[in-house]
Amino acid sequence: MDASTELFQKYRPRLLGLAYRMLGTQADAEDVLHDAWLRWHVQDKASLDDPEAWLVTVTTRLALDRLRRAKVERAHYTGPWLPEPLIETQEQPDTQAEQAETLTLSFLMLLERLNPEERAAFLLREVFDYSHAEAASILGITEESCRQRAHRAKQRLHDERARFTTNLETQRRLLERFAQALQQPTEENLRALFAEDAVHISDGGGIVTAALRPLLGSERIARLYLQVAKHEDGHAVRRQLRTLNGAPVLLTWADGQLVTACWIECDGERIVAVHALRNPEKLARLAWSLSNASA
């Protein structure tokens, strides 16, 4: 490995962490890093005072361009769009310098509420710990504009996060109870798991059956999973609790195929939000990554 490649690899986990948090899918993040590498490959390294700053700037701006395009595409996406889990590898995004919570799927969902410019400013300032002046330089905007964007994003995310507990053990315990309830489901034992105003969001991508809008209320969610149980009857179903993106995720396999990846939000006692990833294309990538990670 030459010195140029070695230097890029040194910063790769940080760059991947930034791109993934910006875009919500590992495939898009990897594409951004590939483009950044191509630019790095032809860059005159001797002219750089700070190679890391150059790489972060290029990666951020490439991710911003891709996110702007993705926002347009997601506006025409069939039903809700959910992020894709990141499989831990030796090249996983660095979580020592950054907050591990900001890699969770639930947090990525919150980031979707921000516009691309707010998202970038917030991540650079609050997650990757750049000063407002440094973040402004990376984004090519004034320091005051960067400060305003980061502040608006932080306030918006704070208001949303205050509604839920981030206790991972509580989430795991409720997901385990959810999985147990699905073994012999009744409307009563399912409803007991959910808050009365719970919401269910599913991403089928227009490929498989999934609600096109969020489903509201414990009664409706319980009935949904009673129907799911009926459809599973006669199939070899296996449920597996895994830690993905630093938080518990319930995987459901039917006849050897991954059909759902589910994560939750809770208030400490009951489930207040269910996110069910059912898009076969996203699940195929996840299953492939899981298989490679265990190989």
Side-chain angles (χ1 to χ4, degrees), residues 32-93:
V32 163
L33 259 64
H34 177 70
D35 290 345
W37 161 251
L38 292 177
R39 299 189 182 198
W40 171 255
H41 185 64
V42 300
Q43 173 66 30
D44 177 13
K45 316 300 189 298
S47 67
L48 300 178
D49 294 328
D50 188 342
E52 179 184 359
W54 188 92
L55 285 167
V56 170
T57 298
V58 169
T59 300
T60 300
R61 294 184 182 183
L62 287 170
L64 257 176
D65 289 343
R66 183 172 285 263
L67 182 57
R68 292 185 184 110
R69 295 195 302 269
K71 285 288 188 181
V72 175
E73 294 168 0
R74 291 171 193 176
H76 301 284
Y77 191 82
T78 302
W81 180 93
L82 294 178
E84 297 182 34
L86 181 72
I87 303 303
E88 296 181 1
T89 68
Q90 292 181 347
E91 294 183 337
Q92 69 187 80

Side-chain angles (χ1 to χ4, degrees), residues 86-157:
L86 181 72
I87 303 303
E88 296 181 1
T89 68
Q90 292 181 347
E91 294 183 337
Q92 69 187 80
D94 180 16
T95 57
Q96 295 179 354
E98 296 89 46
Q99 303 171 31
E101 181 196 348
T102 64
L103 264 180
T104 64
L105 295 163
S106 295
F107 193 82
L108 292 178
M109 288 289 296
L110 289 180
L111 290 177
E112 283 295 307
R113 299 170 185 261
L114 307 177
N115 66 45
E117 291 74 21
E118 290 174 340
R119 188 166 181 164
F122 172 83
L123 290 173
L124 289 169
R125 178 69 188 98
E126 300 297 332
V127 178
F128 290 88
D129 204 30
Y130 289 100
S131 69
H132 287 297
E134 291 169 327
S137 177
I138 291 170
L139 296 171
I141 59 178
T142 67
E143 183 175 346
E144 181 58 28
S145 179
C146 182
R147 188 184 301 274
Q148 291 176 357
R149 291 178 184 180
H151 176 75
R152 286 196 303 267
K154 185 177 180 180
Q155 187 61 52
R156 188 177 305 176
L157 295 179

Side-chain angles (χ1 to χ4, degrees), residues 205-222:
I207 303 171
V208 297
T209 301
L212 297 180
R213 294 180 178 82
L215 194 64
L216 302 176
S218 59
E219 182 178 350
R220 297 181 69 188
I221 297 172

